[in-house]
Amino acid sequence: MNMKLTATPLTAALAGAFSAGTWPLLWPLFSDTSTSNSVWLVVGTLVLIALPAHAFVVGFKQGQMAGSRAIDTALLKRIVVWLLAAAATTAVITLFRSA
């Protein structure tokens, strides 16, 4: 199966907003250290943060060669957009919860 998802700044922003918006659902699992909750925390982290980040920030297209020393500025821009969108979403959620 060959996925040709192209990551863009818009998809990176959406992934950041999604991760920041859904991550608070896992916060209650931090207080309980039982094995079953730890497993759900790992699974939740993979599904809510790692998968969207890989798919919509990094993408599935073949990148530069491993030996290349060039900086992938497009990837760096997408990472910054992803982080900024996550921070903005967190700020908005915090504002609405405190109001």
Side-chain angles (χ1 to χ4, degrees):
M1 182 164 146
N2 188 8
M3 296 186 71
K4 294 188 178 192
L5 178 67
T6 302
T8 66
L10 177 62
T11 61
L14 292 173
F18 172 78
S19 295
T22 57
W23 181 250
L25 300 173
L26 294 181
W27 277 117
L29 298 179
F30 279 119
S31 61
D32 185 3
T33 58
S34 69
T35 304
S36 64
N37 282 346
S38 296
V39 169
W40 283 113
L41 184 62
V42 171
V43 170
T45 302
L46 290 172
V47 171
L48 299 177
I49 295 175
L51 180 63
H54 188 280
F56 300 110
V57 178
V58 178
F60 289 114
K61 291 180 105 178
Q62 190 81 7
Q64 295 176 346
M65 294 175 47
S68 175
R69 291 201 179 266
I71 295 175
D72 188 349
T73 56
L75 175 60
L76 289 177
K77 287 178 187 175
R78 291 191 307 269
I79 290 170
V80 168
V81 168
W82 177 60
L83 292 172
L84 289 174
T89 302
T90 302
V92 168
I93 289 172
T94 303
L95 286 173
F96 278 114
R97 284 188 178 167
S98 65

